[in-house]
Amino acid sequence: MLKQKNHNSIPIINPNKRITAIWALSEAALGGVLHALRIPFTGLFIGSSAVLFITLISYLDNKRGAILKATLLVMTVKAIVSPHSPINAYLAVAFQGIIGELLFMLIRSKRIAAFLLGFFSLLESSLQKILVITIVFGQNVWEAIDVFSEYVLSQFLFRTDSAEIISISIILISIY
């Protein structure tokens, strides 16, 4: 007589771990490919997927620290698989994880917390270069805005000679 396998004996991987693994793969592989292809604003694409994964982890696991634990695992995998990633990428992942943990812990409505996580993560991604130039390299905000605008224009294949570019910071001040 044939023995039937007991389906209960097969270990089932926790869905939270699966999502963390997909998030890590997204950060390491997709981020690496987008950086290698020099796609502009890769942080917005990767950050958007991170918001989705953090939100899913929050829905599946209500324990405190679950998002931070997943974030540390994602950063570890990213460092092993894609060690050439810039430090800003690790700062962005850490920021998303910390903000995600705080928002989902403090706000009862998961929808509002997810919306705010998306807003703050993408805002941080868009302002990260200006913040790094200002805080780390000590340039004033207006110089940082000019450097950032030159970077953005160069990403879209426009020629950017410093002497030919109109200062975006002067335009912003004039509009104000």
Side-chain angles (χ1 to χ4, degrees):
M1 190 187 239
L2 293 172
K3 255 187 157 178
Q4 219 175 14
K5 286 186 177 180
N6 184 1
H7 293 291
N8 293 334
S9 66
I10 299 172
I12 297 176
I13 297 175
N14 182 351
N16 186 10
K17 291 180 182 178
R18 289 181 186 176
I19 293 169
T20 303
I22 294 170
W23 182 18
L25 179 68
S26 167
E27 286 286 339
L30 181 62
V33 168
L34 291 176
H35 280 292
L37 294 175
R38 302 184 66 76
I39 304 290
F41 303 110
T42 58
L44 294 177
F45 297 113
I46 303 301
S48 298
S49 64
V51 168
L52 175 70
F53 296 128
I54 291 170
T55 302
L56 287 172
I57 290 169
S58 171
Y59 271 102
L60 294 174
D61 196 350
N62 287 329
K63 294 180 202 162
R64 279 190 168 178
I67 295 172
L68 288 179
K69 187 173 160 185
T71 303
L72 289 174
L73 187 61
V74 166
M75 289 174 63
T76 304
V77 169
K78 184 179 181 81
I80 292 169
V81 173
S82 177
H84 60 278
S85 296
I87 192 75
N88 292 350
Y90 296 102
L91 292 174
V93 173
F95 177 81
Q96 291 159 353
I98 292 168
I99 290 294
E101 182 72 35
L102 289 173
L103 289 174
F104 285 108
M105 183 175 60
L106 298 174
I107 299 175
R108 284 202 122 121
S109 171
K110 299 254 187 204
R111 288 182 182 184
I112 293 172
F115 175 78
L116 289 174
L117 174 62
F119 176 78
F120 288 126
S121 293
L122 297 179
L123 181 67
E124 184 270 340
S125 176
S126 63
L127 297 177
Q128 186 178 51
K129 190 164 188 83
I130 294 173
L131 293 172
V132 168
I133 291 170
T134 303
I135 295 170
V136 176
F137 295 111
Q139 291 185 346
N140 68 38
V141 174
W142 304 114
E143 290 172 352
I145 290 171
D146 288 337
V147 169
F148 177 70
S149 63
E150 288 177 24
Y151 166 76
V152 169
L153 292 174
S154 71
Q155 290 294 307
F156 287 108
L157 305 176
F158 293 115
R159 187 168 176 223
T160 58
D161 290 336
S162 301
E164 295 178 12
I165 265 195
I166 298 173
S167 174
I168 298 295
S169 60
I170 290 176
I171 293 171
L172 289 173
I173 292 169
S174 299
I175 291 171
Y176 177 73

